[in-house]
PDB file of all heavy atoms in Angstrom:
ATOM      1  N   ALA A   1       0.835  -1.207   0.000  1.00 97.00           N
ATOM      2  CA  ALA A   1       0.000   0.000   0.000  1.00 97.00           C
ATOM      3  C   ALA A   1       0.866   1.252   0.000  1.00 97.00           C
ATOM      4  O   ALA A   1       0.625   2.195  -0.771  1.00 97.00           O
ATOM      5  CB  ALA A   1      -0.930  -0.006   1.214  1.00 97.00           C
ATOM      6  N   TYR A   2       1.885   1.273   0.832  1.00 97.00           N
ATOM      7  CA  TYR A   2       2.746   2.460   0.904  1.00 97.00           C
ATOM      8  C   TYR A   2       3.657   2.568  -0.307  1.00 97.00           C
ATOM      9  O   TYR A   2       4.022   3.680  -0.710  1.00 97.00           O
ATOM     10  CB  TYR A   2       3.549   2.443   2.200  1.00 97.00           C
ATOM     11  CG  TYR A   2       2.740   2.925   3.369  1.00 97.00           C
ATOM     12  CD1 TYR A   2       2.155   2.036   4.262  1.00 97.00           C
ATOM     13  CD2 TYR A   2       2.507   4.286   3.562  1.00 97.00           C
ATOM     14  CE1 TYR A   2       1.389   2.475   5.326  1.00 97.00           C
ATOM     15  CE2 TYR A   2       1.737   4.741   4.618  1.00 97.00           C
ATOM     16  CZ  TYR A   2       1.182   3.837   5.498  1.00 97.00           C
ATOM     17  OH  TYR A   2       0.411   4.285   6.538  1.00 97.00           O
ATOM     18  N   LEU A   3       4.022   1.446  -0.902  1.00 97.00           N
ATOM     19  CA  LEU A   3       4.804   1.495  -2.137  1.00 97.00           C
ATOM     20  C   LEU A   3       3.981   2.123  -3.260  1.00 97.00           C
ATOM     21  O   LEU A   3       4.466   3.019  -3.982  1.00 97.00           O
ATOM     22  CB  LEU A   3       5.247   0.085  -2.531  1.00 97.00           C
ATOM     23  CG  LEU A   3       6.002  -0.040  -3.855  1.00 97.00           C
ATOM     24  CD1 LEU A   3       7.294   0.769  -3.821  1.00 97.00           C
ATOM     25  CD2 LEU A   3       6.297  -1.511  -4.169  1.00 97.00           C
ATOM     26  N   LEU A   4       2.740   1.675  -3.407  1.00 97.00           N
ATOM     27  CA  LEU A   4       1.862   2.242  -4.427  1.00 97.00           C
ATOM     28  C   LEU A   4       1.586   3.719  -4.148  1.00 97.00           C
ATOM     29  O   LEU A   4       1.603   4.548  -5.065  1.00 97.00           O
ATOM     30  CB  LEU A   4       0.543   1.468  -4.478  1.00 97.00           C
ATOM     31  CG  LEU A   4       0.596   0.081  -5.116  1.00 97.00           C
ATOM     32  CD1 LEU A   4      -0.709  -0.671  -4.871  1.00 97.00           C
ATOM     33  CD2 LEU A   4       0.864   0.185  -6.613  1.00 97.00           C
ATOM     34  N   LEU A   5       1.346   4.045  -2.876  1.00 97.00           N
ATOM     35  CA  LEU A   5       1.068   5.435  -2.520  1.00 97.00           C
ATOM     36  C   LEU A   5       2.253   6.327  -2.854  1.00 97.00           C
ATOM     37  O   LEU A   5       2.080   7.427  -3.400  1.00 97.00           O
ATOM     38  CB  LEU A   5       0.739   5.536  -1.029  1.00 97.00           C
ATOM     39  CG  LEU A   5       0.470   6.945  -0.491  1.00 97.00           C
ATOM     40  CD1 LEU A   5      -0.756   7.550  -1.175  1.00 97.00           C
ATOM     41  CD2 LEU A   5       0.293   6.928   1.015  1.00 97.00           C
ATOM     42  N   THR A   6       3.450   5.870  -2.542  1.00 97.00           N
ATOM     43  CA  THR A   6       4.648   6.666  -2.828  1.00 97.00           C
ATOM     44  C   THR A   6       4.824   6.868  -4.330  1.00 97.00           C
ATOM     45  O   THR A   6       5.161   7.974  -4.778  1.00 97.00           O
ATOM     46  CB  THR A   6       5.891   5.990  -2.234  1.00 97.00           C
ATOM     47  OG1 THR A   6       5.711   5.836  -0.821  1.00 97.00           O
ATOM     48  CG2 THR A   6       7.135   6.809  -2.503  1.00 97.00           C
ATOM     49  N   CYS A   7       4.576   5.820  -5.110  1.00 97.00           N
ATOM     50  CA  CYS A   7       4.656   5.951  -6.576  1.00 97.00           C
ATOM     51  C   CYS A   7       3.623   6.948  -7.087  1.00 97.00           C
ATOM     52  O   CYS A   7       3.909   7.742  -7.994  1.00 97.00           O
ATOM     53  CB  CYS A   7       4.441   4.590  -7.233  1.00 97.00           C
ATOM     54  SG  CYS A   7       5.786   3.413  -6.975  1.00 97.00           S
ATOM     55  N   MET A   8       2.441   6.941  -6.492  1.00 97.00           N
ATOM     56  CA  MET A   8       1.395   7.868  -6.899  1.00 97.00           C
ATOM     57  C   MET A   8       1.763   9.305  -6.556  1.00 97.00           C
ATOM     58  O   MET A   8       1.521  10.229  -7.338  1.00 97.00           O
ATOM     59  CB  MET A   8       0.077   7.474  -6.232  1.00 97.00           C
ATOM     60  CG  MET A   8      -0.502   6.166  -6.746  1.00 97.00           C
ATOM     61  SD  MET A   8      -1.739   5.460  -5.631  1.00 97.00           S
ATOM     62  CE  MET A   8      -3.054   6.660  -5.800  1.00 97.00           C
ATOM     63  N   VAL A   9       2.352   9.495  -5.377  1.00 97.00           N
ATOM     64  CA  VAL A   9       2.754  10.842  -4.968  1.00 97.00           C
ATOM     65  C   VAL A   9       3.855  11.373  -5.882  1.00 97.00           C
ATOM     66  O   VAL A   9       3.814  12.515  -6.343  1.00 97.00           O
ATOM     67  CB  VAL A   9       3.221  10.847  -3.497  1.00 97.00           C
ATOM     68  CG1 VAL A   9       3.872  12.175  -3.136  1.00 97.00           C
ATOM     69  CG2 VAL A   9       2.045  10.567  -2.563  1.00 97.00           C
ATOM     70  N   VAL A  10       4.858  10.531  -6.141  1.00 96.00           N
ATOM     71  CA  VAL A  10       5.989  10.950  -6.967  1.00 96.00           C
ATOM     72  C   VAL A  10       5.540  11.306  -8.383  1.00 96.00           C
ATOM     73  O   VAL A  10       6.043  12.265  -8.988  1.00 96.00           O
ATOM     74  CB  VAL A  10       7.061   9.846  -7.001  1.00 96.00           C
ATOM     75  CG1 VAL A  10       8.142  10.156  -8.037  1.00 96.00           C
ATOM     76  CG2 VAL A  10       7.703   9.681  -5.617  1.00 96.00           C
ATOM     77  N   THR A  11       4.589  10.551  -8.904  1.00 96.00           N
ATOM     78  CA  THR A  11       4.148  10.771 -10.295  1.00 96.00           C
ATOM     79  C   THR A  11       2.928  11.693 -10.373  1.00 96.00           C
ATOM     80  O   THR A  11       2.294  11.787 -11.427  1.00 96.00           O
ATOM     81  CB  THR A  11       3.805   9.424 -10.964  1.00 96.00           C
ATOM     82  OG1 THR A  11       2.739   8.786 -10.230  1.00 96.00           O
ATOM     83  CG2 THR A  11       5.009   8.509 -10.997  1.00 96.00           C
ATOM     84  N   SER A  12       2.605  12.378  -9.294  1.00 93.00           N
ATOM     85  CA  SER A  12       1.409  13.222  -9.281  1.00 93.00           C
ATOM     86  C   SER A  12       1.689  14.619  -9.823  1.00 93.00           C
ATOM     87  O   SER A  12       1.458  15.622  -9.166  1.00 93.00           O
ATOM     88  CB  SER A  12       0.867  13.321  -7.853  1.00 93.00           C
ATOM     89  OG  SER A  12      -0.385  13.961  -7.851  1.00 93.00           O
ATOM     90  N   THR A  13       2.205  14.663 -11.030  1.00 91.00           N
ATOM     91  CA  THR A  13       2.467  15.929 -11.720  1.00 91.00           C
ATOM     92  C   THR A  13       2.050  15.797 -13.174  1.00 91.00           C
ATOM     93  O   THR A  13       1.932  14.678 -13.707  1.00 91.00           O
ATOM     94  CB  THR A  13       3.960  16.307 -11.663  1.00 91.00           C
ATOM     95  OG1 THR A  13       4.715  15.305 -12.374  1.00 91.00           O
ATOM     96  CG2 THR A  13       4.464  16.406 -10.232  1.00 91.00           C
ATOM     97  N   ASP A  14       1.835  16.928 -13.827  1.00 91.00           N
ATOM     98  CA  ASP A  14       1.485  16.907 -15.244  1.00 91.00           C
ATOM     99  C   ASP A  14       2.608  16.279 -16.074  1.00 91.00           C
ATOM    100  O   ASP A  14       2.347  15.564 -17.041  1.00 91.00           O
ATOM    101  CB  ASP A  14       1.215  18.329 -15.739  1.00 91.00           C
ATOM    102  CG  ASP A  14       0.006  18.947 -15.062  1.00 91.00           C
ATOM    103  OD1 ASP A  14      -0.801  18.192 -14.480  1.00 91.00           O
ATOM    104  OD2 ASP A  14      -0.130  20.181 -15.109  1.00 91.00           O
ATOM    105  N   GLN A  15       3.856  16.569 -15.687  1.00 94.00           N
ATOM    106  CA  GLN A  15       4.995  16.032 -16.444  1.00 94.00           C
ATOM    107  C   GLN A  15       5.026  14.504 -16.402  1.00 94.00           C
ATOM    108  O   GLN A  15       5.235  13.852 -17.425  1.00 94.00           O
ATOM    109  CB  GLN A  15       6.306  16.598 -15.889  1.00 94.00           C
ATOM    110  CG  GLN A  15       6.500  18.094 -16.109  1.00 94.00           C
ATOM    111  CD  GLN A  15       5.764  18.933 -15.078  1.00 94.00           C
ATOM    112  OE1 GLN A  15       5.101  18.404 -14.180  1.00 94.00           O
ATOM    113  NE2 GLN A  15       5.883  20.259 -15.204  1.00 94.00           N
ATOM    114  N   TRP A  16       4.817  13.931 -15.210  1.00 95.00           N
ATOM    115  CA  TRP A  16       4.813  12.482 -15.096  1.00 95.00           C
ATOM    116  C   TRP A  16       3.623  11.873 -15.813  1.00 95.00           C
ATOM    117  O   TRP A  16       3.722  10.787 -16.390  1.00 95.00           O
ATOM    118  CB  TRP A  16       4.824  12.058 -13.636  1.00 95.00           C
ATOM    119  CG  TRP A  16       6.196  11.911 -13.064  1.00 95.00           C
ATOM    120  CD1 TRP A  16       6.820  12.741 -12.193  1.00 95.00           C
ATOM    121  CD2 TRP A  16       7.115  10.864 -13.362  1.00 95.00           C
ATOM    122  NE1 TRP A  16       8.083  12.276 -11.916  1.00 95.00           N
ATOM    123  CE2 TRP A  16       8.297  11.118 -12.613  1.00 95.00           C
ATOM    124  CE3 TRP A  16       7.073   9.727 -14.181  1.00 95.00           C
ATOM    125  CZ2 TRP A  16       9.411  10.291 -12.665  1.00 95.00           C
ATOM    126  CZ3 TRP A  16       8.190   8.894 -14.233  1.00 95.00           C
ATOM    127  CH2 TRP A  16       9.327   9.174 -13.486  1.00 95.00           C
ATOM    128  N   GLN A  17       2.506  12.564 -15.816  1.00 93.00           N
ATOM    129  CA  GLN A  17       1.341  12.038 -16.517  1.00 93.00           C
ATOM    130  C   GLN A  17       1.612  11.947 -18.016  1.00 93.00           C
ATOM    131  O   GLN A  17       1.257  10.951 -18.660  1.00 93.00           O
ATOM    132  CB  GLN A  17       0.112  12.913 -16.256  1.00 93.00           C
ATOM    133  CG  GLN A  17      -1.167  12.333 -16.854  1.00 93.00           C
ATOM    134  CD  GLN A  17      -2.390  13.159 -16.523  1.00 93.00           C
ATOM    135  OE1 GLN A  17      -2.254  14.277 -16.038  1.00 93.00           O
ATOM    136  NE2 GLN A  17      -3.559  12.627 -16.770  1.00 93.00           N
ATOM    137  N   ARG A  18       2.255  12.979 -18.562  1.00 94.00           N
ATOM    138  CA  ARG A  18       2.598  12.948 -19.994  1.00 94.00           C
ATOM    139  C   ARG A  18       3.660  11.892 -20.271  1.00 94.00           C
ATOM    140  O   ARG A  18       3.613  11.214 -21.305  1.00 94.00           O
ATOM    141  CB  ARG A  18       3.086  14.321 -20.439  1.00 94.00           C
ATOM    142  CG  ARG A  18       1.992  15.387 -20.500  1.00 94.00           C
ATOM    143  CD  ARG A  18       2.474  16.628 -21.214  1.00 94.00           C
ATOM    144  NE  ARG A  18       3.529  17.296 -20.451  1.00 94.00           N
ATOM    145  CZ  ARG A  18       3.317  18.266 -19.577  1.00 94.00           C
ATOM    146  NH1 ARG A  18       2.077  18.681 -19.330  1.00 94.00           N
ATOM    147  NH2 ARG A  18       4.322  18.833 -18.935  1.00 94.00           N
ATOM    148  N   ARG A  19       4.619  11.726 -19.357  1.00 95.00           N
ATOM    149  CA  ARG A  19       5.706  10.786 -19.573  1.00 95.00           C
ATOM    150  C   ARG A  19       5.219   9.337 -19.533  1.00 95.00           C
ATOM    151  O   ARG A  19       5.657   8.505 -20.330  1.00 95.00           O
ATOM    152  CB  ARG A  19       6.786  11.000 -18.508  1.00 95.00           C
ATOM    153  CG  ARG A  19       8.016  10.123 -18.687  1.00 95.00           C
ATOM    154  CD  ARG A  19       9.047  10.389 -17.603  1.00 95.00           C
ATOM    155  NE  ARG A  19       9.467  11.782 -17.588  1.00 95.00           N
ATOM    156  CZ  ARG A  19      10.347  12.272 -16.722  1.00 95.00           C
ATOM    157  NH1 ARG A  19      10.886  11.486 -15.794  1.00 95.00           N
ATOM    158  NH2 ARG A  19      10.693  13.540 -16.779  1.00 95.00           N
ATOM    159  N   LEU A  20       4.313   9.028 -18.602  1.00 94.00           N
ATOM    160  CA  LEU A  20       3.842   7.653 -18.448  1.00 94.00           C
ATOM    161  C   LEU A  20       2.692   7.307 -19.385  1.00 94.00           C
ATOM    162  O   LEU A  20       2.438   6.132 -19.639  1.00 94.00           O
ATOM    163  CB  LEU A  20       3.402   7.413 -17.000  1.00 94.00           C
ATOM    164  CG  LEU A  20       4.502   7.468 -15.944  1.00 94.00           C
ATOM    165  CD1 LEU A  20       3.911   7.268 -14.561  1.00 94.00           C
ATOM    166  CD2 LEU A  20       5.568   6.423 -16.220  1.00 94.00           C
ATOM    167  N   GLY A  21       1.987   8.329 -19.882  1.00 94.00           N
ATOM    168  CA  GLY A  21       0.877   8.063 -20.794  1.00 94.00           C
ATOM    169  C   GLY A  21      -0.216   7.241 -20.132  1.00 94.00           C
ATOM    170  O   GLY A  21      -0.660   7.537 -19.033  1.00 94.00           O
ATOM    171  N   ARG A  22      -0.628   6.160 -20.805  1.00 93.00           N
ATOM    172  CA  ARG A  22      -1.695   5.317 -20.271  1.00 93.00           C
ATOM    173  C   ARG A  22      -1.279   4.619 -18.977  1.00 93.00           C
ATOM    174  O   ARG A  22      -2.132   4.287 -18.146  1.00 93.00           O
ATOM    175  CB  ARG A  22      -2.109   4.278 -21.316  1.00 93.00           C
ATOM    176  CG  ARG A  22      -2.794   4.862 -22.550  1.00 93.00           C
ATOM    177  CD  ARG A  22      -3.216   3.767 -23.492  1.00 93.00           C
ATOM    178  NE  ARG A  22      -3.914   4.300 -24.664  1.00 93.00           N
ATOM    179  CZ  ARG A  22      -4.365   3.553 -25.668  1.00 93.00           C
ATOM    180  NH1 ARG A  22      -4.201   2.220 -25.624  1.00 93.00           N
ATOM    181  NH2 ARG A  22      -4.986   4.109 -26.690  1.00 93.00           N
ATOM    182  N   ASN A  23       0.003   4.359 -18.823  1.00 96.00           N
ATOM    183  CA  ASN A  23       0.471   3.690 -17.607  1.00 96.00           C
ATOM    184  C   ASN A  23       0.239   4.545 -16.368  1.00 96.00           C
ATOM    185  O   ASN A  23       0.134   4.021 -15.258  1.00 96.00           O
ATOM    186  CB  ASN A  23       1.956   3.340 -17.729  1.00 96.00           C
ATOM    187  CG  ASN A  23       2.194   2.244 -18.737  1.00 96.00           C
ATOM    188  OD1 ASN A  23       1.371   1.341 -18.892  1.00 96.00           O
ATOM    189  ND2 ASN A  23       3.308   2.310 -19.441  1.00 96.00           N
ATOM    190  N   TRP A  24       0.181   5.871 -16.545  1.00 95.00           N
ATOM    191  CA  TRP A  24      -0.096   6.752 -15.407  1.00 95.00           C
ATOM    192  C   TRP A  24      -1.473   6.446 -14.837  1.00 95.00           C
ATOM    193  O   TRP A  24      -1.647   6.303 -13.638  1.00 95.00           O
ATOM    194  CB  TRP A  24      -0.018   8.206 -15.857  1.00 95.00           C
ATOM    195  CG  TRP A  24      -0.165   9.202 -14.747  1.00 95.00           C
ATOM    196  CD1 TRP A  24       0.823   9.758 -14.002  1.00 95.00           C
ATOM    197  CD2 TRP A  24      -1.395   9.761 -14.252  1.00 95.00           C
ATOM    198  NE1 TRP A  24       0.307  10.641 -13.082  1.00 95.00           N
ATOM    199  CE2 TRP A  24      -1.057  10.663 -13.209  1.00 95.00           C
ATOM    200  CE3 TRP A  24      -2.738   9.599 -14.594  1.00 95.00           C
ATOM    201  CZ2 TRP A  24      -2.013  11.374 -12.502  1.00 95.00           C
ATOM    202  CZ3 TRP A  24      -3.699  10.323 -13.879  1.00 95.00           C
ATOM    203  CH2 TRP A  24      -3.324  11.197 -12.856  1.00 95.00           C
ATOM    204  N   ARG A  25      -2.454   6.340 -15.712  1.00 94.00           N
ATOM    205  CA  ARG A  25      -3.819   6.047 -15.264  1.00 94.00           C
ATOM    206  C   ARG A  25      -3.890   4.658 -14.642  1.00 94.00           C
ATOM    207  O   ARG A  25      -4.583   4.462 -13.632  1.00 94.00           O
ATOM    208  CB  ARG A  25      -4.794   6.165 -16.432  1.00 94.00           C
ATOM    209  CG  ARG A  25      -6.250   5.986 -16.026  1.00 94.00           C
ATOM    210  CD  ARG A  25      -7.176   6.231 -17.215  1.00 94.00           C
ATOM    211  NE  ARG A  25      -7.100   7.617 -17.652  1.00 94.00           N
ATOM    212  CZ  ARG A  25      -7.807   8.599 -17.111  1.00 94.00           C
ATOM    213  NH1 ARG A  25      -8.645   8.351 -16.107  1.00 94.00           N
ATOM    214  NH2 ARG A  25      -7.710   9.830 -17.562  1.00 94.00           N
ATOM    215  N   ARG A  26      -3.184   3.701 -15.236  1.00 95.00           N
ATOM    216  CA  ARG A  26      -3.190   2.343 -14.675  1.00 95.00           C
ATOM    217  C   ARG A  26      -2.596   2.336 -13.273  1.00 95.00           C
ATOM    218  O   ARG A  26      -3.119   1.681 -12.364  1.00 95.00           O
ATOM    219  CB  ARG A  26      -2.405   1.400 -15.586  1.00 95.00           C
ATOM    220  CG  ARG A  26      -3.027   1.170 -16.952  1.00 95.00           C
ATOM    221  CD  ARG A  26      -2.320   0.054 -17.683  1.00 95.00           C
ATOM    222  NE  ARG A  26      -2.854  -0.125 -19.037  1.00 95.00           N
ATOM    223  CZ  ARG A  26      -2.239   0.269 -20.130  1.00 95.00           C
ATOM    224  NH1 ARG A  26      -1.060   0.883 -20.049  1.00 95.00           N
ATOM    225  NH2 ARG A  26      -2.782   0.078 -21.313  1.00 95.00           N
ATOM    226  N   LEU A  27      -1.486   3.033 -13.086  1.00 96.00           N
ATOM    227  CA  LEU A  27      -0.833   3.091 -11.778  1.00 96.00           C
ATOM    228  C   LEU A  27      -1.755   3.699 -10.735  1.00 96.00           C
ATOM    229  O   LEU A  27      -1.943   3.134  -9.646  1.00 96.00           O
ATOM    230  CB  LEU A  27       0.456   3.906 -11.875  1.00 96.00           C
ATOM    231  CG  LEU A  27       1.109   4.301 -10.538  1.00 96.00           C
ATOM    232  CD1 LEU A  27       1.559   3.067  -9.776  1.00 96.00           C
ATOM    233  CD2 LEU A  27       2.278   5.264 -10.778  1.00 96.00           C
ATOM    234  N   HIS A  28      -2.335   4.841 -11.039  1.00 96.00           N
ATOM    235  CA  HIS A  28      -3.156   5.541 -10.055  1.00 96.00           C
ATOM    236  C   HIS A  28      -4.478   4.828  -9.801  1.00 96.00           C
ATOM    237  O   HIS A  28      -4.963   4.817  -8.662  1.00 96.00           O
ATOM    238  CB  HIS A  28      -3.381   6.985 -10.502  1.00 96.00           C
ATOM    239  CG  HIS A  28      -2.163   7.835 -10.351  1.00 96.00           C
ATOM    240  ND1 HIS A  28      -2.067   8.843  -9.421  1.00 96.00           N
ATOM    241  CD2 HIS A  28      -0.970   7.810 -10.993  1.00 96.00           C
ATOM    242  CE1 HIS A  28      -0.875   9.412  -9.489  1.00 96.00           C
ATOM    243  NE2 HIS A  28      -0.196   8.798 -10.448  1.00 96.00           N
ATOM    244  N   ARG A  29      -5.025   4.220 -10.820  1.00 95.00           N
ATOM    245  CA  ARG A  29      -6.263   3.462 -10.611  1.00 95.00           C
ATOM    246  C   ARG A  29      -5.984   2.231  -9.754  1.00 95.00           C
ATOM    247  O   ARG A  29      -6.760   1.929  -8.833  1.00 95.00           O
ATOM    248  CB  ARG A  29      -6.856   3.052 -11.955  1.00 95.00           C
ATOM    249  CG  ARG A  29      -8.142   2.239 -11.832  1.00 95.00           C
ATOM    250  CD  ARG A  29      -8.740   1.946 -13.194  1.00 95.00           C
ATOM    251  NE  ARG A  29      -9.189   3.159 -13.861  1.00 95.00           N
ATOM    252  CZ  ARG A  29      -9.671   3.189 -15.097  1.00 95.00           C
ATOM    253  NH1 ARG A  29      -9.741   2.065 -15.801  1.00 95.00           N
ATOM    254  NH2 ARG A  29     -10.070   4.324 -15.622  1.00 95.00           N
ATOM    255  N   THR A  30      -4.901   1.530 -10.044  1.00 96.00           N
ATOM    256  CA  THR A  30      -4.539   0.362  -9.249  1.00 96.00           C
ATOM    257  C   THR A  30      -4.305   0.751  -7.796  1.00 96.00           C
ATOM    258  O   THR A  30      -4.787   0.073  -6.876  1.00 96.00           O
ATOM    259  CB  THR A  30      -3.268  -0.303  -9.812  1.00 96.00           C
ATOM    260  OG1 THR A  30      -3.509  -0.724 -11.163  1.00 96.00           O
ATOM    261  CG2 THR A  30      -2.869  -1.514  -8.978  1.00 96.00           C
ATOM    262  N   GLY A  31      -3.584   1.837  -7.583  1.00 97.00           N
ATOM    263  CA  GLY A  31      -3.297   2.280  -6.228  1.00 97.00           C
ATOM    264  C   GLY A  31      -4.554   2.651  -5.461  1.00 97.00           C
ATOM    265  O   GLY A  31      -4.719   2.262  -4.295  1.00 97.00           O
ATOM    266  N   MET A  32      -5.460   3.386  -6.098  1.00 96.00           N
ATOM    267  CA  MET A  32      -6.680   3.806  -5.422  1.00 96.00           C
ATOM    268  C   MET A  32      -7.564   2.606  -5.088  1.00 96.00           C
ATOM    269  O   MET A  32      -8.115   2.522  -3.973  1.00 96.00           O
ATOM    270  CB  MET A  32      -7.448   4.811  -6.278  1.00 96.00           C
ATOM    271  CG  MET A  32      -6.751   6.150  -6.467  1.00 96.00           C
ATOM    272  SD  MET A  32      -6.537   7.072  -4.924  1.00 96.00           S
ATOM    273  CE  MET A  32      -8.202   7.673  -4.637  1.00 96.00           C
ATOM    274  N   TYR A  33      -7.700   1.686  -6.018  1.00 97.00           N
ATOM    275  CA  TYR A  33      -8.533   0.518  -5.747  1.00 97.00           C
ATOM    276  C   TYR A  33      -7.904  -0.377  -4.681  1.00 97.00           C
ATOM    277  O   TYR A  33      -8.612  -0.921  -3.821  1.00 97.00           O
ATOM    278  CB  TYR A  33      -8.769  -0.285  -7.027  1.00 97.00           C
ATOM    279  CG  TYR A  33      -9.975   0.180  -7.807  1.00 97.00           C
ATOM    280  CD1 TYR A  33      -9.875   1.160  -8.777  1.00 97.00           C
ATOM    281  CD2 TYR A  33     -11.236  -0.356  -7.556  1.00 97.00           C
ATOM    282  CE1 TYR A  33     -10.982   1.600  -9.483  1.00 97.00           C
ATOM    283  CE2 TYR A  33     -12.350   0.067  -8.259  1.00 97.00           C
ATOM    284  CZ  TYR A  33     -12.219   1.045  -9.227  1.00 97.00           C
ATOM    285  OH  TYR A  33     -13.320   1.483  -9.905  1.00 97.00           O
ATOM    286  N   TYR A  34      -6.588  -0.526  -4.727  1.00 97.00           N
ATOM    287  CA  TYR A  34      -5.929  -1.348  -3.708  1.00 97.00           C
ATOM    288  C   TYR A  34      -6.121  -0.751  -2.322  1.00 97.00           C
ATOM    289  O   TYR A  34      -6.466  -1.454  -1.365  1.00 97.00           O
ATOM    290  CB  TYR A  34      -4.437  -1.482  -4.022  1.00 97.00           C
ATOM    291  CG  TYR A  34      -3.710  -2.359  -3.033  1.00 97.00           C
ATOM    292  CD1 TYR A  34      -3.755  -3.744  -3.145  1.00 97.00           C
ATOM    293  CD2 TYR A  34      -2.998  -1.803  -1.977  1.00 97.00           C
ATOM    294  CE1 TYR A  34      -3.098  -4.552  -2.231  1.00 97.00           C
ATOM    295  CE2 TYR A  34      -2.333  -2.607  -1.058  1.00 97.00           C
ATOM    296  CZ  TYR A  34      -2.388  -3.975  -1.193  1.00 97.00           C
ATOM    297  OH  TYR A  34      -1.748  -4.778  -0.274  1.00 97.00           O
ATOM    298  N   LEU A  35      -5.902   0.552  -2.199  1.00 97.00           N
ATOM    299  CA  LEU A  35      -6.106   1.223  -0.915  1.00 97.00           C
ATOM    300  C   LEU A  35      -7.568   1.147  -0.473  1.00 97.00           C
ATOM    301  O   LEU A  35      -7.867   0.949   0.709  1.00 97.00           O
ATOM    302  CB  LEU A  35      -5.661   2.679  -1.008  1.00 97.00           C
ATOM    303  CG  LEU A  35      -4.147   2.904  -1.078  1.00 97.00           C
ATOM    304  CD1 LEU A  35      -3.834   4.314  -1.565  1.00 97.00           C
ATOM    305  CD2 LEU A  35      -3.507   2.660   0.281  1.00 97.00           C
ATOM    306  N   GLY A  36      -8.481   1.292  -1.431  1.00 97.00           N
ATOM    307  CA  GLY A  36      -9.899   1.198  -1.102  1.00 97.00           C
ATOM    308  C   GLY A  36     -10.275  -0.171  -0.565  1.00 97.00           C
ATOM    309  O   GLY A  36     -11.018  -0.279   0.422  1.00 97.00           O
ATOM    310  N   VAL A  37      -9.770  -1.216  -1.195  1.00 97.00           N
ATOM    311  CA  VAL A  37     -10.037  -2.578  -0.723  1.00 97.00           C
ATOM    312  C   VAL A  37      -9.413  -2.793   0.656  1.00 97.00           C
ATOM    313  O   VAL A  37     -10.013  -3.414   1.543  1.00 97.00           O
ATOM    314  CB  VAL A  37      -9.494  -3.618  -1.724  1.00 97.00           C
ATOM    315  CG1 VAL A  37      -9.518  -5.022  -1.129  1.00 97.00           C
ATOM    316  CG2 VAL A  37     -10.306  -3.574  -3.014  1.00 97.00           C
TER     317      VAL A  37
END
């Protein structure tokens, strides 16, 4: 949970979103659902 959260925090910028493309959405969606569960 904290590994995913840290990755989400680090990539929580417009630059990282453009750099990761679709993987950005996959990372953040996975992290949010994992934390929610």
